[in-house]
Amino acid sequence: MSALVFAIPSKGRLQEQTLEMLARSGLAIAQDGGVRLYGARIPNLPEAEVRLMASAEIVTALRDGEIHAGVTGADVLSEADPEHTRIALIKPLGFGHADLVVCAPMSWLDCTTMADLAAVCADFHLRHHRRLRVATKYIALAHQFFDAHGLDDYRLIESAGATEGAPANGAAEVIVDITTTGQTLKDNFLRPLEDGLILKSEANLAVSRGADWDDAALSCFARLIAALEEKNAPNPAFDAFIKGVTA
Amino acid sequence: MTHAHGISETLAARGAVAIDPPVLQPAHLYFELAGEDLRKRAFLVPEADGSDLCLRPDMTIPVCREALVRNEWLTDKPFALAYEGQVFRRRTDATSGAAEFMQAGAEWFFPRAAAAELEPQIIAAAIDSARAEDADPDLKLGDVGVFRALVQAADLPASWDEKLIRAFARPGGAAAVLEEMANPAPAKVPALAYELVGEPLERAEEKVADALRAQNIPLTGGRSYAEIAARLQAQAAHAKGPKPDPHCVNVIAGALSIEDEPEQALAGIFKLALQDMRTPGLDAALDAATDRWQALRRLARPPKQTRFSLSLGRGLAYYDGFVFELEAPKLGTRAALGGGGRYDGLIHALARREKNGRNVSSWGAAGFALRTKRIADASEP
């Protein structure tokens, strides 16, 4: 049995960049099963079992303690566990950058800040006899952010896909979504609010607090971290995590 | 499960009809009516069609939904519905208490003309219900109606009044807005807003439409040109207009900080307002609060301690009149035994939404809920 179960994205740009990073750190993955690998190993870290999983599955598995560690976006990790009680983010990896932002229709010339949005929410409720709807896949993060800005007169609508289309097709008035270049937002006549940045996300190495962290798992993960950190620089987040599990 | 017989008998004796509303309620209705804040506390249950139900996080909305399909509305007489049942709230931290607990209480529905007579009876019914279970709680009174009348009497410049009233239900919300009023941040207003000042709305609406067409921006997001134009005008008025009068800001802050026996508290608020904020609306609201307290003293033996505080809002945005809470200080962090208040706006909004909804605009609604386990724990040995 492997000492440590470590998950990486099973497809896309995030997978490519994760593999590149591991290779750069001397942790290249053995390519013995063809392109689409779902279980793999790292010859230089033989005690680790590498699982290739969809991003959403990595998040769930980390939250439930089914795997020790994984690589995926801080946005989905934080959405699943906003207070970071079950998943600890150990190291931002410098790729997979995206911003989670609150966006209003460009046609709302009167709405460029969160304070404007609060006033528009109240006005909208009064005029339309219903609350303004905010479409998002990031229900927990959106709620936390709106709460911190004193907004409560709105409704969150969970969007399954293509959130940016919601204001145009009448499913919602405002959205909270991920953007990288801003082009998709522009194409849909949406504009981020000036103070509407919820999270600057990037790929992160994260660990599950609930996984079985025995000595073998800890020492294997310590070697993984040491390889990833430039010149074996200390990682304070990892040290804090170790303290937590060994306390 | 032990039933709170004392409570149900007290409420039955006052003519409340016992009902048993469903545990599962449409989640969207709760979020629409009670606000997104409920989301972190509600247990959601997915339906096959992709919508969500929730385990009822309170009894008020389920009881109101049952009330709306009854025939009592066809008379012009008040009616009351009583209940006892479990409510479910997700624990947000270690101190939040049980995730499921029993509530017992009643909701009254009445033509507004009957309000003055009924309101003290409702508070008395809550006190007597607790006493029927051998508890003798302290009473906290508040009145969202007085707060709103005070804000209106302050005659604050454009949109500050709405902002303050909106912030009231949030813990610390009113204090934050008052602080902002005393030191307003420079407003950032689009240049177009200033061009709309003084224009009739139709003209302002055209200018907004022209500005958007010039940039090839379609109108999306469910608001009309007129709505956007009206708010731009309000923004410009807010930025150019006078700052809130510091004296009025102080009076409101002072009134919110008063916590005293009801006569003293209400007299204190009146004295503060006397300086130059007295309006017929405020006088009427303060009189109603005073009369309610005096009637309550005739209807029920006064609790050991009764305090009035204008800042009592119960953390729920739907209360729009009197509010009250029963407390047993000896229970420490579990001292809150329950409470209630008046919520005309909620029943009107619910009636608009339910398919079988009735026109209830000339009716009011009020009620209370008590936590039966805490009441039992608070009972005198």
Side-chain angles (χ1 to χ4, degrees):
Chain A
M1 215 180 100
S2 326
L4 181 91
V5 184
F6 172 51
I8 66 172
S10 57
K11 59 178 198 264
R13 189 82 187 107
L14 212 51
Q15 180 190 41
E16 284 169 32
Q17 287 171 307
T18 306
L19 292 176
E20 280 164 28
M21 172 200 71
L22 289 171
R24 268 201 315 276
S25 311
L27 298 173
I29 288 195
Q31 297 276 341
D32 49 19
V35 184
R36 285 204 166 253
L37 296 164
Y38 289 95
R41 19 173 227 100
I42 298 172
N44 286 342
L45 200 64
E47 318 91 288
E49 174 192 340
V50 180
R51 285 190 198 161
L52 286 89
M53 296 166 72
S55 193
E57 290 169 13
I58 295 179
V59 172
T60 313
L62 283 171
R63 197 189 56 198
D64 297 346
E66 287 161 14
I67 58 177
H68 294 94
V71 170
T72 192
D75 55 342
V76 284
L77 289 165
S78 301
E79 170 65 18
D81 182 27
E83 310 292 339
H84 300 295
T85 52
R86 300 212 262 178
I87 302 173
L89 304 191
I90 298 295
K91 184 176 165 57
L93 299 173
F95 57 86
H97 290 282
D99 291 344
L100 184 63
V101 287
V102 184
C103 301
M106 280 181 191
S107 57
W108 292 11
L109 300 174
D110 58 331
C111 187
T112 55
T113 64
M114 289 299 288
D116 285 333
L117 184 59
V120 169
C121 283
D123 191 47
F124 188 93
H125 196 171
L126 209 65
R127 288 172 185 266
H128 298 262
H129 297 300
R130 61 175 177 82
R131 291 176 200 257
L132 181 141
R133 295 163 305 171
V134 180
T136 187
K137 296 187 191 79
Y138 299 86
I139 296 273
L141 292 175
H143 181 258
Q144 200 178 48
F145 187 74
F146 278 42
D147 195 41
H149 278 82
L151 265 78
D152 49 14
D153 204 356
Y154 67 97
R155 253 187 71 203
L156 288 168
I157 303 288
E158 192 156 6
S159 100
T163 309
E164 65 278 0
N169 68 31
E173 285 74 39
V174 164
I175 69 164
V176 167
D177 206 6
I178 281 290
T179 176
T180 48
T181 63
Q183 193 55 46
T184 312
L185 296 177
K186 282 201 191 87
D187 294 345
N188 286 279
F189 302 102
L190 296 169
R191 176 182 53 201
L193 298 181
E194 286 163 18
D195 52 350
L197 176 65
I198 298 178
L199 180 74
K200 280 193 99 60
S201 176
E202 63 184 284
N204 260 256
L205 175 63
V207 292
S208 169
R209 295 188 197 274
D212 182 12
W213 285 100
D214 56 15
D215 289 347
L218 281 172
S219 82
C220 180
F221 190 70
R223 287 177 53 205
L224 176 66
I225 281 283
L228 292 179
E229 292 290 352
E230 302 258 336
K231 303 192 179 93
N232 284 337
N235 180 306
F238 175 59
D239 296 342
F241 171 71
I242 295 265
K243 238 180 221 161
V245 289
T246 51
Chain B
M1 205 176 305
T2 55
H3 280 280
H5 290 293
I7 298 178
S8 55
E9 281 161 21
T10 303
L11 295 171
R14 286 163 189 260
V17 175
I19 62 163
D20 188 13
V23 168
L24 288 170
Q25 297 284 331
H28 70 92
L29 193 68
Y30 259 97
F31 296 144
E32 181 67 38
L33 294 170
E36 275 297 327
D37 257 9
L38 207 59
R39 186 179 291 273
K40 54 178 182 266
R41 289 190 289 163
F43 286 102
L44 297 184
V45 185
E47 266 276 54
D49 66 2
S51 65
D52 278 326
L53 296 171
C54 66
L55 299 177
R56 60 186 181 207
D58 79 347
M59 289 298 264
T60 303
I61 288 174
V63 171
C64 286
R65 295 183 71 214
E66 294 283 303
L68 283 171
V69 298
R70 296 174 69 92
N71 291 324
E72 283 91 338
W73 300 100
L74 304 175
T75 74
D76 56 356
K77 294 195 176 58
F79 66 98
L81 302 175
Y83 58 82
E84 180 173 2
Q86 280 149 299
V87 299
F88 306 84
R89 293 186 194 160
R90 259 160 64 182
R91 283 175 282 201
T92 47
D93 57 59
T95 63
S96 342
E100 107 182 62
F101 54 88
M102 294 291 286
Q103 275 191 341
E107 310 295 336
W108 277 257
F109 307 92
F110 46 87
R112 281 189 182 165
E117 198 186 337
L118 262 176
E119 287 180 351
Q121 293 178 18
I122 293 170
I123 306 173
I127 296 170
D128 288 345
S129 294
R131 286 178 178 163
E133 300 289 333
D134 300 317
D136 195 13
D138 290 344
L139 176 63
K140 275 170 85 174
L141 295 169
D143 194 328
V144 185
V146 170
F147 172 72
R148 291 186 181 179
L150 183 68
V151 172
Q152 268 144 23
D155 197 21
L156 298 167
S159 65
W160 280 112
D161 48 354
E162 293 158 27
K163 194 167 179 178
L164 185 55
I165 285 172
R166 227 161 47 224
F168 176 74
R170 303 174 60 79
V177 174
L178 287 166
E179 171 69 33
E180 202 187 326
M181 276 184 187
N183 309 290
K188 258 197 68 199
V189 177
L192 179 65
Y194 293 108
E195 294 172 29
L196 305 182
V197 175
E199 297 276 11
L201 187 59
E202 302 80 58
R203 182 76 194 106
E205 189 181 340
E206 276 169 36
K207 283 192 172 178
V208 168
D210 289 345
L212 289 173
R213 270 194 291 268
Q215 299 174 70
N216 286 320
I217 299 172
L219 187 68
T220 61
R223 293 170 74 219
S224 64
Y225 292 123
E227 277 176 78
I228 296 163
R231 203 177 153 264
L232 283 169
Q233 287 183 318
Q235 277 182 299
H238 188 76
K240 290 178 74 170
K243 292 196 169 106
D245 177 353
H247 168 65
C248 292
V249 175
N250 285 338
V251 169
I252 297 172
L256 281 170
S257 71
I258 291 177
E259 187 188 328
D260 208 334
E261 288 175 20
E263 289 91 349
Q264 277 82 346
L266 289 162
I269 295 167
F270 184 73
K271 209 173 138 198
L272 274 173
L274 256 190
Q275 299 174 14
D276 54 15
M277 280 172 47
R278 213 175 146 191
T279 63
L282 182 57
D283 278 1
L286 284 168
D287 283 348
T290 307
D291 292 348
R292 189 185 307 122
W293 166 238
Q294 281 171 357
L296 176 60
R297 282 200 305 188
R298 289 191 296 273
L299 291 166
R301 175 168 54 79
K304 281 195 200 96
Q305 193 187 65
T306 303
R307 310 289 282 177
F308 183 99
S309 164
L310 209 50
S311 54
L312 183 69
R314 310 210 71 229
L316 278 167
Y318 59 65
Y319 287 117
D320 45 23
F322 78 98
V323 287
F324 71 98
E325 280 177 356
L326 300 185
E327 280 188 344
K330 68 176 177 185
L331 296 186
T333 56
R334 299 168 60 249
L337 303 182
R342 182 152 170 197
Y343 51 84
D344 293 11
L346 176 71
I347 191 76
H348 299 159
L350 191 57
R352 267 197 300 271
R353 260 166 203 89
E354 296 281 88
K355 286 198 180 68
N356 46 18
R358 302 170 185 275
N359 180 8
V360 300
S361 53
S362 62
W363 286 61
F368 64 83
L370 302 176
R371 298 179 69 143
T372 58
K373 176 75 169 61
R374 289 186 184 178
I375 298 256
D377 293 345
S379 64
E380 303 300 324

